[in-house]
Amino acid sequence: MDLTIIIIIGVVAAVLGVVFKIYADGAQKEYTDERMRETFAAQSRGLEDELVTGEFAQYQEDVTDYIDSRISDKFPLLGKKLIQAGHKMKAMEWCTAVGAAGGVAAILIIIFLGKTFGAFVFVVAGFILFLVPAVAYFMIGLDIGKRINIFDEQFGVGLDVMSSSMKAGGTFLSSIRFIAEGSEPPLGTEMGIVSTELGLGTDMATALDRFKERVPSKNLLLFVIAIKVANQTGSALAPLLTSLSHVIVDRFRLQGMVNTAVSENLMGVIILAAFPWLVIPLLAFSWPDAYADFFIWSLGGLPAGKIIALLCFIWYSFGLSVMYKTVKSIDT
């Protein structure tokens, strides 16, 4: 098999991997949001919503837009990812930096390897130009996971402190400010944003929804649902926060065991996914005639070899998708 074909197949596989990653993130967010809506609807069914005037609603929208202008930008998906990862860099700055890094790497490859490999070096340079942003995007996902783990570790203790503050006579807003001033990032940073929004007049539900968007933590989802229901029903928040603190601490301990199981199974998926891309090039270089005959094989005027290869690749992608979803279901 020609080396150019192998590189092209590798580029296609990498593109499909990035597309699948974006799809999986979107599907998980949609599932989480739908579950939250169903849970909150079941808890608050029959309760009357507070009336909000059009003027006040516009004021709240202006407040949230102002805060978004300070922490986000005009790139909805990428900007949100960078916020969730705790990066101060805006999406445009990230795209510029990553694009420049990929461009410099591609140019260096063309300069130093152009005379040796000829026109083929442009295929390699194109692959590098795509690979650098893809790796950088996947690194954002890793940073999000690390930040959520740190947040979950702080969150249980933070809720316990909030409960003690409210039992001592403090309000919900003052307890959030206390946590914001006395906690390390990311808990202190996020609580500070919530405190600012509430202090400027944003309603509780909007501030909590935006909190959940910035920190996609399952433990925070429990907190948001509980506070919304308590706010609608008038329940006491201090005992609720104490109980929720104990639940989150236990969940964090169990989540470590779940993460271990998921990591082990994901490693198995990665090994299985990488195996064909290690074996096929090896066999192609050791027995090129067999692969050449297979790809030019035709049956009844149809390129049977290429069709079979395409069907095998589709089945391979489908199998990876099934294995990935099966492993991730452990963490649902």
Side-chain angles (χ1 to χ4, degrees):
M1 185 185 296
D2 187 73
L3 184 59
T4 303
I5 297 178
I6 297 176
I7 295 296
I8 293 175
I9 293 176
V11 172
V12 172
V15 171
L16 290 177
V18 173
V19 171
F20 179 76
K21 171 65 175 175
I22 295 174
Y23 166 76
D25 290 345
Q28 179 63 29
K29 177 184 180 301
E30 183 178 353
Y31 170 76
T32 302
D33 290 346
E34 181 64 25
R35 184 174 60 176
M36 179 178 179
R37 284 193 294 268
E38 292 177 354
T39 304
F40 182 64
Q43 293 287 344
S44 60
R45 187 174 291 114
L47 298 174
E48 295 182 357
D49 295 330
E50 296 180 0
L51 295 177
V52 179
T53 63
E55 182 180 354
F56 186 66
Q58 181 61 43
Y59 171 76
Q60 290 186 131
E61 184 177 351
D62 293 340
V63 169
T64 56
D65 287 343
Y66 169 75
I67 294 176
D68 281 343
S69 69
R70 310 299 297 178
I71 63 176
S72 185
D73 47 35
K74 300 299 183 182
F75 288 72
L77 177 60
L78 182 57
K80 183 185 295 183
K81 289 283 186 182
L82 292 172
I83 291 172
Q84 291 175 349
H87 295 323
K88 302 300 183 182
M89 183 180 294
K90 299 294 184 68
M92 178 60 75
E93 297 171 354
W94 184 90
C95 291
T96 303
V98 172
V104 170
I107 292 173
L108 291 177
I109 288 176
I110 293 174
I111 292 175
F112 290 103
L113 301 180
K115 295 181 179 179
T116 304
F117 293 95
F120 175 72
V121 75
F122 290 98
V123 177
V124 178
F127 177 71
I128 296 298
L129 190 61
F130 164 79
L131 184 63
V132 171
V135 172
Y137 183 79
F138 278 104
M139 290 298 296
I140 292 177
L142 295 178
D143 291 339
I144 291 174
K146 293 178 182 177
R147 190 168 187 259
I148 291 175
N149 287 335
I150 297 174
F151 177 87
D152 287 340
E153 187 175 4
Q154 298 173 323
F155 195 41
V157 178
L159 290 182
D160 200 22
V161 174
M162 286 180 61
S163 175
S164 300
S165 174
M166 296 185 70
K167 289 178 180 178
T171 63
F172 182 72
L173 180 57
S174 66
S175 65
I176 288 181
R177 287 175 177 169
F178 181 75
I179 296 298
E181 295 172 358
S183 300
E184 296 291 331
L187 179 62
T189 302
E190 296 299 335
M191 285 296 190
I193 296 174
V194 174
S195 172
T196 300
E197 291 181 344
L198 293 176
L200 290 174
T202 305
D203 65 286
M204 183 76 71
T206 301
L208 292 177
D209 286 339
R210 289 162 55 79
F211 190 10
K212 176 179 65 67
E213 290 292 328
R214 293 192 305 270
V215 184
S217 167
K218 294 183 176 65
N219 292 323
L220 180 59
L221 180 64
L222 294 176
F223 171 78
V224 170
I225 294 174
I227 296 301
K228 279 187 173 183
V229 173
N231 191 41
Q232 290 282 357
T233 59
S235 303
L237 287 178
L240 175 64
L241 292 178
T242 301
S243 301
L244 196 57
S245 170
H246 296 158
V247 171
I248 290 176
V249 170
D250 291 338
R251 276 177 56 88
F252 180 76
R253 185 178 67 253
L254 294 175
Q255 188 67 39
M257 301 169 60
V258 173
N259 290 341
T260 301
V262 170
S263 299
E264 291 175 350
N265 286 276
L266 280 179
M267 184 57 63
V269 173
I270 292 173
I271 293 174
L272 290 175
F275 185 75
W277 305 103
L278 298 176
V279 173
I280 291 176
L282 178 62
L283 294 178
F285 282 112
S286 61
W287 196 7
D289 294 337
Y291 277 84
D293 293 340
F294 175 77
F295 276 95
I296 65 175
W297 171 45
S298 62
L299 185 63
L302 296 175
K306 295 179 181 179
I307 292 176
I308 292 175
L310 177 61
L311 293 176
C312 289
F313 183 76
I314 293 174
W315 183 253
Y316 164 82
S317 302
F318 174 74
L320 288 182
S321 175
V322 171
M323 287 191 294
Y324 178 82
K325 288 183 176 294
T326 302
V327 171
K328 294 299 289 183
S329 66
I330 300 174
D331 194 26
T332 302

